[in-house]
Amino acid sequence: MFGDRLHVYPIVIAIFVPLTFTITYILAVTSGHVEPAFPYISDTGTKPPESCVFGQLLNIGAVLAFIIFYIRYRQIRTHYEGAGRTKLLKYNTVTFVMGITAALGISLVGNFQETNVIVIHLIGALLAFVVGSIYCWIQTGMSFKMPDLPGNSVIVCRIRTVISVLTFIFIIMLFIFPTLSNQQAPSWVNVTDNTYWKPGKPGYGLRLVGTISEWLLALSTVFFLLTFVKEFKFFRMYTPECMHKDKKITNNYNIEQSGSGLP
């Protein structure tokens, strides 16, 4: 499952997530459930058949994200354990927990549609986007403190900084502009009704800024994970070993560092 191809996982998720959004977007538009001009990501997965595809694919995406968070956690732990970097290892554990939380949020967004269980859906979105953004920020700070980590570089640290700043900006925009657009809409309008929001409607322009921000936020977070590719090439992981309980049982993933990098 892992081996010496750990860098494949960030590449896979960087392709899989945009592909997921594209598939559900096409299904929602062709079914007449949303307007073509940048609906919210969640709006493309609220009604069948796209809601079924949306939930299934996001669950897969959540698993992929969890795997990446776990590899990153074990990578840093393997390289710095016993090196006296106690504070760094604590942050590593914190970010791993945050990664699990963000992955759970992705699954909640997919399984609890906004038109069915809006509270759980919004909680999932907060976990995925806000906690995911904080994860990016902390990992960026850690990157600057780990210049000796194989595969890390100043350029990678700067790229992560830019992406982290962008995620913060997009989150602010995602909170502000939808609120402003809802205030401009007529009081009798259900603002969650996707059929209302069309070009020329009051608040449509502000809403469009919010929806575009959400798309860019999601893609930025995915591209942050893509920055792990080079570092993952320098490590390999072994699958668990299982033996008769009277002899030995090992249920931990082992990870080792390669000195020169892996193909």
Side-chain angles (χ1 to χ4, degrees):
M1 180 179 177
F2 294 99
D4 58 359
R5 302 288 180 181
L6 302 180
H7 62 284
V8 171
Y9 287 102
I11 296 174
V12 169
I13 200 170
I15 297 173
F16 181 82
V17 172
L19 183 62
T20 295
F21 295 159
T22 301
I23 291 173
T24 56
Y25 169 81
I26 292 174
L27 288 173
V29 171
T30 55
S31 300
H33 296 156
V34 297
E35 288 295 314
F38 281 104
Y40 284 111
I41 295 174
S42 299
D43 292 344
T44 66
T46 58
K47 298 180 181 179
E50 61 267 19
S51 61
C52 305
V53 178
F54 187 74
Q56 182 62 48
L57 294 184
L58 280 192
N59 283 333
I60 297 174
V63 173
L64 288 173
F66 170 79
I67 292 174
I68 294 171
F69 295 138
Y70 179 72
I71 294 174
R72 182 63 172 177
Y73 164 74
R74 290 305 302 267
Q75 176 194 37
I76 296 174
R77 175 180 166 183
T78 297
H79 189 72
Y80 290 103
E81 197 168 35
R85 303 292 299 274
T86 305
K87 188 175 181 179
L88 179 65
L89 292 176
K90 287 182 179 179
Y91 277 114
N92 186 41
T93 302
V94 170
T95 54
F96 178 50
V97 174
M98 295 179 70
I100 296 175
T101 304
L104 174 62
I106 295 172
S107 180
L108 291 177
V109 168
N111 293 324
F112 297 86
Q113 291 79 27
E114 61 181 359
T115 53
N116 296 324
V117 191
I118 184 64
V119 174
I120 303 298
H121 182 85
L122 292 178
I123 291 175
L126 286 173
L127 296 179
F129 288 141
V130 177
V131 177
S133 177
I134 298 174
Y135 175 91
C136 294
W137 275 102
I138 298 178
Q139 278 289 336
T140 299
M142 292 171 59
S143 298
F144 282 101
K145 299 294 184 180
M146 302 185 297
D148 58 325
L149 184 69
N152 191 15
S153 65
V154 175
I155 294 178
V156 170
C157 292
R158 289 175 178 174
I159 292 174
R160 288 174 183 163
T161 301
V162 171
I163 295 176
S164 298
V165 171
L166 289 176
T167 61
F168 176 76
I169 294 174
F170 293 144
I171 286 176
I172 298 300
M173 295 174 66
L174 185 56
F175 275 102
I176 294 177
F177 286 94
T179 302
L180 295 176
S181 68
N182 293 343
Q183 290 176 352
Q184 291 190 9
S187 58
W188 54 268
V189 172
N190 180 3
V191 294
T192 61
D193 182 7
N194 296 321
T195 59
Y196 167 78
W197 295 105
K198 297 180 180 180
K201 295 289 186 178
Y204 175 80
L206 294 172
R207 175 184 167 88
L208 191 60
V209 175
T211 58
I212 293 175
S213 298
E214 183 188 42
W215 284 80
L216 293 176
L217 172 60
L219 295 178
S220 296
T221 305
V222 171
F223 289 149
F224 185 92
L225 300 182
L226 191 60
T227 66
F228 292 152
V229 167
K230 188 176 180 181
E231 290 159 313
F232 282 8
K233 286 183 178 181
F234 286 85
F235 292 79
R236 62 162 57 94
M237 209 171 236
Y238 297 105
T239 54
E241 179 186 4
C242 182
M243 300 181 67
H244 193 281
K245 67 179 182 179
D246 293 335
K247 297 180 180 179
K248 178 183 179 182
I249 295 179
T250 304
N251 194 32
N252 294 318
Y253 282 102
N254 295 317
I255 185 169
E256 74 172 19
Q257 178 180 330
S258 172
S260 57
L262 297 171

